[in-house]
Amino acid sequence: MENVPELESEKVFADFVSILKELNYYVDWKIVYCPEYGVPQNRKRLVLLASHLGEIKLIPPLYDSEHYPTVRQAIGNLSVLKDGEQDANDLLHRACRLSSINLKRIRQSTPGGTWRDWDEELQLECHKKESGKTYPSVYGRMSWDEPSPTITTQFYGYGNGRFGHPEQDRALSLREGAILQSFPPDYVFIDSDHPSNRREIGIHIGNAVPVELGRAIGISIQQHLQEVEENAAN
């Protein structure tokens, strides 16, 4: 099972784990930091594994903090786009068009910076209120040499989080969001027989289990079954 980290504090989750144990499952769960498993994104997820066959655990982390995959490693070699443009060879490598004021805002944004870096006339009224001061990453740029922020279902919109490209004056393309979710760079989400709009694809990508985390879970299950077979043979 994979879900949001906040679930660990909910009674329904504690009840679920108790019921699994009552049904003689071996249970192990933890909050996973996705860069430790090859996902170039600051995403945390709750992962639970359970088995009737014996103790089961998620494999140990594959990367340490000195070697987390970065935005540059993930999307640094993709073709340059302007806002509103699409790569002629990739339907998903397309970026939303920015309004004239958002284009001015992103030009004043620095990687890892905030909207506080802008000229005052570019700042939104909600940012000037006390309640708005706690959201400095909105309208931000990503940093090249760090994992990206968590990819949400609206990552393709510049104003929806720190989803500005580190260098180009635009928001992330759909392809870039997918790669930061660790999908293969040529993964096919759509074809001519099943057209989809940007919102539908964004939801699909943002809600997905990061592929490399899914791989780690799959390897954990494979290793568990192999250990069970070996123990049975002995």
Side-chain angles (χ1 to χ4, degrees):
M1 189 199 80
E2 182 262 10
N3 214 302
V4 296
E6 292 78 10
L7 186 62
E8 70 171 327
S9 61
E10 298 292 333
K11 182 178 183 298
V12 67
F13 179 69
D15 291 344
F16 176 58
V17 172
S18 295
I19 291 170
L20 286 174
K21 292 179 177 179
E22 289 172 7
L23 295 172
N24 298 317
Y25 279 93
Y26 294 85
V27 180
D28 184 68
W29 65 270
K30 63 185 293 189
I31 304 300
V32 174
Y33 185 51
C34 291
E36 294 184 336
Y37 291 93
V39 181
Q41 178 190 161
N42 282 326
R43 195 182 193 104
K44 293 182 178 179
R45 302 297 287 177
L46 184 154
V47 174
L48 178 147
L49 298 175
S51 174
H52 268 309
L53 305 176
E55 291 188 2
I56 182 170
K57 291 184 178 295
L58 190 67
I59 60 172
L62 304 175
Y63 297 84
D64 60 29
S65 59
E66 298 296 316
H67 300 93
Y68 289 156
T70 66
V71 172
R72 187 189 302 275
Q73 292 168 335
I75 66 172
N77 63 346
L78 269 64
S79 61
V80 174
L81 293 179
K82 294 181 180 178
D83 69 298
E85 280 191 339
Q86 175 181 304
D87 187 308
N89 299 312
D90 185 354
L91 291 175
L92 282 194
H93 192 34
R94 64 180 190 259
C96 289
R97 185 170 299 281
L98 298 181
S99 65
S100 58
I101 191 167
N102 277 344
L103 198 54
K104 292 177 182 177
R105 286 167 174 157
I106 198 167
R107 286 171 177 165
Q108 290 194 14
S109 297
T110 58
T114 75
W115 49 261
R116 298 188 183 107
D117 301 324
W118 302 342
D119 292 339
E120 186 172 353
E121 64 267 21
L122 296 179
Q123 295 178 16
L124 283 77
E125 287 304 315
C126 61
H127 291 160
K128 299 175 184 178
K129 297 178 180 178
E130 196 62 33
S131 58
K133 294 179 180 179
T134 58
Y135 296 94
S137 65
V138 177
Y139 290 91
R141 279 192 194 268
M142 295 183 176
S143 298
W144 270 130
D145 298 314
E146 301 174 3
S148 80
T150 296
I151 297 299
T152 69
T153 59
Q154 298 183 27
F155 65 87
Y156 51 85
Y158 170 52
N160 295 326
R162 192 179 294 283
F163 299 134
H165 189 279
E167 192 171 282
Q168 298 163 38
D169 293 334
R170 60 174 177 82
L172 290 179
S173 72
L174 292 170
R175 178 63 72 194
E176 288 165 334
I179 293 173
L180 292 170
Q181 275 279 60
S182 63
F183 282 95
D186 57 353
Y187 190 85
V188 177
F189 290 89
I190 55 174
D191 58 40
S192 57
D193 295 328
H194 303 87
S196 298
N197 60 39
R198 180 182 284 111
R199 178 178 175 274
E200 290 172 333
I201 300 172
I203 290 173
H204 185 78
I205 293 171
N207 280 340
V209 176
V211 175
E212 289 303 314
L213 176 58
R215 187 194 304 276
I217 293 170
I219 291 172
S220 301
I221 294 170
Q222 285 182 322
Q223 289 185 0
H224 168 65
L225 294 174
Q226 184 177 352
E227 290 171 2
V228 169
E229 289 178 1
E230 290 174 351
N231 290 337
N234 294 331

